[in-house]
Amino acid sequence: MIQDYVVLTGINIVLAWSVYIILLSGSLSFANGGFMAMGAYASSVLTVNFGFPLILAAITAAIGTGIFGCLIGFPALRTRGIYLILLTTGVAVLVQSAIESIPYIGAIQGFGGMSGTQPWHIVVLVLVVGAALWLISHSSLQRTLETVREDELVANSLGMHVVYIKLVCFGVGAGIAALAGSYYAHYMLFISPDQFGIVTSVFIVLYVVLGGTNNMWGPVLGATIMTLLPELARGLGSWRPTAFGVVILLLLLIRPEGLLSFRRVTVKRQDAEPWNSGPNPAGQGDA
């Protein structure tokens, strides 16, 4: 039982980070449930039908999904606001519908026969993705991403390739979601299209919104709470979904910017203004 909590919490943390990476460039994706499905099914076919090792299959699925994410993202990221949300939602629905229509991967009946995911796989995945995000947050790339996120016109005026930056973030986010999906499929042993519906994509975004979008630790907290809270409320029986929804609603009302809303300072302020940084010129002391 504890192993299940560790694995599922770790997978959800990685999924939350997959959305957070896209948010770093100022975009919001509701397609990550679909990217998760692509990774799950692609890696499952590679391991079951072609005998690939799990890690190699997961990496291959992530690369393929990342490329697909870039192809989808190129036209998608030229839209803004509600139109981007609708478009990425459509991608998630399209992926689910495509899976349901392909007999080779089980169609609506699902696909099984996978195995191999161990808790250490998830721990390593969380550590690797977390370390990469931590390095980004302490580099000049973080300032570049914040500039694109806050004001695209300013970023363009500074010579930044805004569309390229957004596209890379979208592709990387898609690939990370696929990695999570691969390990999820090989832990659950059987997958079906209804496990990757639009509700899954909404929950992944909610992990980030609940925890906070301004730093990498917010998605960790949000994913952990939303994974473990339903289990902690198991004693409520049929009232458990209602209690879970009420708690999430209250948290969002109390902390609309997320439970961890702080933003790490990436540019330190000068102790003194440039014109006051040196000693006073002779004869110009304080009045």
Side-chain angles (χ1 to χ4, degrees):
M1 185 67 71
I2 295 178
Q3 175 177 304
D4 293 341
Y5 293 153
V6 171
V7 170
L8 294 178
T9 301
I11 288 173
N12 287 338
I13 288 173
V14 175
L15 287 170
W17 275 337
S18 74
V19 170
Y20 172 72
I21 289 172
I22 298 174
L23 275 172
L24 281 176
S25 64
S27 301
L28 178 60
S29 171
F30 279 83
N32 285 42
F35 298 143
M36 178 189 181
M38 292 180 65
Y41 274 91
S43 62
S44 297
V45 169
L46 290 175
T47 55
V48 174
N49 294 351
F50 296 95
F52 274 51
L54 171 57
I55 295 178
L56 179 59
I59 293 174
T60 303
I63 293 173
T65 304
I67 294 173
F68 175 80
C70 288
L71 295 176
I72 292 295
F74 188 75
L77 295 178
R78 294 178 179 273
T79 61
R80 298 289 184 273
I82 187 65
Y83 301 104
L84 178 59
I85 293 175
L86 290 174
L87 200 153
T88 53
T89 300
V91 171
V93 174
L94 177 64
V95 170
Q96 183 184 12
S97 299
I99 292 172
E100 293 175 344
S101 305
I102 303 176
Y104 181 73
I105 55 177
I108 199 169
Q109 286 78 23
F111 190 88
M114 306 81 70
S115 62
T117 296
Q118 300 296 325
W120 71 266
H121 287 122
I122 307 303
V123 172
V124 170
L125 181 61
V126 170
L127 290 176
V128 169
V129 177
L133 287 174
W134 187 86
L135 290 174
I136 289 174
S137 69
H138 288 76
S139 70
S140 59
L141 179 58
Q142 177 76 15
R143 294 193 290 273
T144 300
L145 292 172
E146 287 183 352
T147 303
V148 173
R149 176 180 178 177
E150 297 298 331
D151 197 320
E152 293 183 17
L153 293 177
V154 172
N156 276 316
S157 69
L158 294 174
M160 300 176 183
H161 300 284
V162 173
V163 174
Y164 173 77
I165 292 171
K166 286 177 171 287
L167 201 60
V168 169
C169 289
F170 200 84
V172 171
I176 291 176
L179 277 176
S182 297
Y183 286 115
Y184 172 80
H186 287 79
Y187 187 76
M188 300 303 292
L189 310 181
F190 179 86
I191 52 176
S192 60
D194 61 324
Q195 293 173 278
F196 308 100
I198 186 59
V199 174
T200 301
S201 294
V202 172
F203 265 75
I204 296 172
V205 173
L206 190 55
Y207 297 155
V208 185
V209 174
L210 176 63
T213 62
N214 290 331
N215 60 85
M216 62 174 286
W217 304 113
V220 176
L221 181 60
T224 303
I225 289 176
M226 290 193 63
T227 303
L228 300 181
L229 187 59
E231 298 303 320
L232 295 176
R234 184 177 292 274
L236 297 176
S238 61
W239 287 95
R240 184 174 60 158
T242 303
F244 174 69
V246 169
V247 171
I248 297 301
L249 181 61
L250 288 175
L251 289 175
L252 291 175
L253 289 174
I254 295 171
R255 299 283 294 182
E257 295 183 355
L259 298 178
L260 294 179
S261 59
F262 68 89
R263 176 170 294 182
R264 181 183 173 275
V265 178
T266 54
V267 180
K268 293 184 177 179
R269 177 181 174 274
Q270 295 283 338
D271 290 335
E273 301 295 344
W275 51 82
N276 291 330
S277 57
N280 288 336
Q284 297 185 16
D286 293 334

